[in-house]
């Protein structure tokens, strides 16, 4: 899977930070990826990631989730409902606020990199339809997240 990467922040975070999680994710949920993307090989799929600040995340969060203020990660999946649009191999977009990630890292008493990795993997799993609305779904998502990390 290719990773399109845009860092719109002043933090120096190389694209390579995320590529190992993409590779791990591909292998951990490969069957689900192939089911959601029939006719495509994993190497031909594209995932987009954009890092932004809270100032940019707030209006996105309010528009798409109808919630006030910023959030850590938003995922926009193009494979969950493929009949809604022509699928060209772009599986989705992940948008992460580094400001919120930094605050959460302090709150969770972990490094910025650990929290960033955790939230990227969380967004990655959302792209492929994993969710945490029920205890069962949350346990499944957590199991896959741990394997990817």
């Amino acid at each position: 899977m290719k990773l399109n990467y845009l860092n719109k922040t002043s933090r120096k975070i190389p694209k390579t930070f995320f590529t190992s999680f993409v590779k791990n994710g591909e292998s951990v949920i490969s069957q689900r990826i192939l089911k959601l993307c029939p006719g495509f090989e994993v190497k031909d799929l594209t995932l987009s990631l954009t890092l932004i600040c809270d100032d940019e995340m707030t209006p996105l969060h309010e528009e798409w989730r109808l919630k006030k203020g910023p959030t850590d990660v938003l995922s926009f999946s193009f494979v969950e409902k493929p009949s809604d649009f022509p699928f060209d191999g772009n599986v989705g977009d992940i948008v992460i606020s580094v400001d919120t990630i930094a605050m959460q890292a302090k709150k969770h008493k972990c490094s910025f990199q650990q929290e960033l990795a955790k939230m990227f993997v969380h967004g990655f799993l959302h792209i492929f339809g994993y969710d945490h609305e029920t205890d069962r779904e949350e346990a499944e998502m957590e199991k896959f997240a741990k394997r990817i990390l």
Side-chain angles (χ1 to χ4, degrees):
M1 187 175 308
K2 299 175 200 92
L3 180 65
N4 288 337
Y5 176 64
L6 176 61
N7 183 351
K8 297 173 73 177
T9 75
S10 60
R11 286 188 180 258
K12 304 290 186 234
I13 304 166
K15 178 180 178 178
T16 55
F17 177 83
F18 301 98
T19 54
S20 65
F21 301 118
V22 172
K23 287 289 180 209
N24 288 349
E26 287 174 12
S27 64
V28 169
I29 63 166
S30 61
Q31 294 304 313
R32 187 162 191 147
I33 292 171
L34 294 174
K35 181 181 176 186
L36 289 170
C37 307
F40 284 84
E41 292 186 38
V42 174
K43 68 179 179 64
D44 297 325
L45 300 174
T46 302
L47 173 67
S48 296
L49 169 63
T50 304
L51 302 182
I52 60 177
C53 295
D54 278 352
D55 289 347
E56 288 186 79
M57 180 60 90
T58 297
L60 291 174
H61 193 216
E62 291 173 358
E63 178 179 353
W64 293 99
R65 299 284 323 266
L66 304 176
K67 295 184 178 183
K68 292 282 183 200
T71 190
D72 47 16
V73 60
L74 289 173
S75 298
F76 301 95
S77 177
F78 304 142
V79 295
E80 281 189 276
K81 297 179 184 171
S83 60
D84 291 351
F85 52 88
F87 183 61
D88 63 359
N90 183 0
V91 296
D93 297 332
I94 299 172
V95 182
I96 295 177
S97 173
V98 297
D99 296 336
T100 299
I101 296 298
M103 286 187 291
Q104 287 180 179
K106 288 179 184 173
K107 178 182 173 185
H108 299 147
K109 295 181 169 73
C110 65
S111 73
F112 173 83
Q113 289 83 359
Q114 288 171 315
E115 188 69 14
L116 181 60
K118 179 180 160 191
M119 288 298 98
F120 174 72
V121 169
H122 186 87
F124 179 88
L125 289 169
H126 275 310
I127 292 293
F128 294 101
Y130 292 95
D131 213 336
H132 44 82
E133 295 296 317
T134 67
D135 290 343
R136 184 172 164 256
E137 289 175 336
E138 186 173 6
E140 179 183 42
M141 193 171 180
E142 188 66 28
K143 174 184 80 171
F144 286 123
K146 285 179 181 176
R147 288 177 55 195
I148 294 168
L149 289 166

